[in-house]
Amino acid sequence: MATSIFKKLSGCAAAVASVAVLTTAAAAADLRGWNIHVEDYPVSHGMEAFIAEIEDKTGGAVKGKVFHGGVLGSQPDAIEQIRLGALDFGVFSLGPMGQVVPEANVVSLPFIFKSVPDMYRLMDGEPGAALSAGLEAKGIKALGFYDAGARSFYNSIKPINEPADVTGMKVRVMNNDLFVGMIESLGGNATPMAFAEVYQSIKTGVVDGAENNPPSYESTNHFEVAGFYSMSQHLIIPECLCMSLKTWNSLSAEDQAIVAAAGKNSTDLQRKLWGEREAASMKVVLDGGVEVNEIADKAPFQNAMKPVYAQFLEQSPDLAGLVQLFQSY
């Protein structure tokens, strides 16, 4: 009888020990992060710094891994997984985010930001907080807004200094009604097409030019066939370092503070790295003989966008207040 009781007690002790081990293991959150970019990219370095700081500051209680190159699925799928809590964090362009979070569409309006520093000021201030509230309502916690560059016009014909210079020009744009309307409001012919087709299309005259940020213009060799780059900076669409609200809510208040601080530091680092990458790309295109021009007065371009804004607000009247906040802040 004594032996039987001893065996039962030993079994209970082993079970308790097993539960303790499982509980300890469960306490260490292992986060999964989604990233569309390759490993050697400003966004990727920012994300790696983010998760490394969290692991360090929590003593390994919260750690994780960034999966680069879109290996965890497409951006729309990943956004949905973030909302559901199947993914824990990621960096997403606010362009595609607009399909889920209407507020995000505001930053896709042409010239909503006057410059990249202006984008930092607005996104780090009240307008960014208002947009973040829209994200949170859809189950997404914003931790910082990364720099994805400013898109400017490039073409094979001439510099662009005023809207009249775009008149009659065939310009490739992303497949988005806002961007089509932007070119048409300037008197140009918008041509939506896949990004991979742009080089050959400019070379053969199917289109006269396109628009993108300096690293994209340089890394795709578009500067070889479109030797005029005009710094319109008409689209400045940030990317969001986001966490699933479910994951965020599962963290202690102390760990939430650590994650928030890591998000801020990661954003500062990524913006610095993006600036360096952009400067390097500009050196390559200038050394390659590209004629780069600043546009001294962007007001005529901004005024030409009134029909684009009117159509946007007609379709999304609930966002009028947010548009006004971005314009007046």
Side-chain angles (χ1 to χ4, degrees), residues 83 147 155 195 261 268 305:
R83 295 180 66 200
D147 189 353
N155 73 91
F195 189 55
D268 291 343
M305 294 301 107

Side-chain angles (χ1 to χ4, degrees), residues 176-194:
N176 183 306
D177 289 343
L178 277 176
F179 309 146
V180 170
M182 173 186 69
I183 298 300
E184 291 178 346
S185 293
L186 295 172
N189 300 315
T191 307
M193 69 168 59

Side-chain angles (χ1 to χ4, degrees), residues 21 73 99 110 199 204 276:
V21 170
Q99 296 177 3
Y199 182 98
T204 58
E276 293 172 354

Side-chain angles (χ1 to χ4, degrees), residues 14-246:
V16 169
S18 178
V19 169
V21 170
L22 288 172
T23 302
T24 302
D30 198 358
L31 309 181
R32 297 167 71 238
W34 180 92
N35 177 29
I36 193 65
H37 302 289
V38 297
E39 287 189 49
D40 186 16
Y41 197 75
V43 167
S44 309
H45 295 310
M47 292 182 73
E48 291 287 0
F50 168 71
I51 200 64
E53 180 175 338
I54 291 170
E55 184 169 352
D56 177 59
K57 295 291 176 63
T58 64
V62 182
K63 56 185 179 179
K65 177 178 174 59
V66 182
F67 294 84
H68 303 289
V71 298
L72 296 183
S74 67
Q75 183 155 247
D77 288 345
I79 291 171
E80 190 59 27
Q81 289 183 62
I82 286 281
R83 295 180 66 200
L84 296 172
L87 284 173
D88 298 294
F89 68 101
V91 171
F92 304 99
S93 169
L94 289 177
M97 187 72 83
Q99 296 177 3
V100 177
V101 183
E103 290 84 352
N105 286 318
V106 171
V107 299
S108 289
L109 286 165
F111 297 104
I112 194 72
F113 301 112
K114 298 178 180 66
S115 64
V116 171
D118 186 54
M119 181 273 283
Y120 294 165
R121 182 179 68 85
L122 267 66
M123 297 308 294
D124 293 344
E126 188 180 346
L131 197 155
S132 296
L135 289 164
E136 192 157 332
K138 298 294 184 179
I140 302 167
K141 177 71 176 178
L143 298 170
F145 294 101
Y146 281 10
D147 189 353
R151 300 175 76 97
S152 293
F153 293 118
Y154 53 89
N155 73 91
S156 60
I157 302 174
K158 61 182 178 182
I160 293 171
N161 285 292
E162 56 185 14
D165 293 327
V166 183
T167 301
M169 193 174 286
K170 295 173 290 185
V171 183
R172 179 269 175 181
V173 293
M174 294 179 285
N175 190 14
N176 183 306
D177 289 343
L178 277 176
F179 309 146
V180 170
M182 173 186 69
I183 298 300
E184 291 178 346
S185 293
L186 295 172
N189 300 315
T191 307
M193 69 168 59
F195 189 55
E197 300 174 13
V198 175
Y199 182 98
Q200 193 64 22
S201 294
I202 297 176
K203 186 176 182 179
T204 58
V206 173
V207 296
D208 300 311
E211 46 81 54
N212 219 315
N213 58 54
S216 295
Y217 174 55
E218 172 263 319
S219 63
T220 55
N221 296 320
H222 288 182
F223 71 95
E224 295 177 351
V225 291
F228 299 96
Y229 194 65
S230 303
M231 303 296 286
S232 54
Q233 295 190 320
H234 51 269
L235 287 175
I236 303 174
I237 304 176
E239 297 189 345
C240 178
L241 172 63
C242 298
M243 177 169 276
S244 169
L245 190 60
K246 290 187 177 181

Side-chain angles (χ1 to χ4, degrees), residues 2-16:
T3 302
S4 176
I5 292 173
F6 176 78
K7 286 181 177 180
K8 287 181 180 180
L9 290 173
S10 297
C12 289
V16 169

Side-chain angles (χ1 to χ4, degrees), residues 120 123-124 145 147 267-275:
Y120 294 165
M123 297 308 294
D124 293 344
F145 294 101
D147 189 353
T267 299
D268 291 343
L269 172 64
Q270 190 275 341
R271 290 175 179 179
K272 174 179 178 291
L273 294 175
W274 180 269

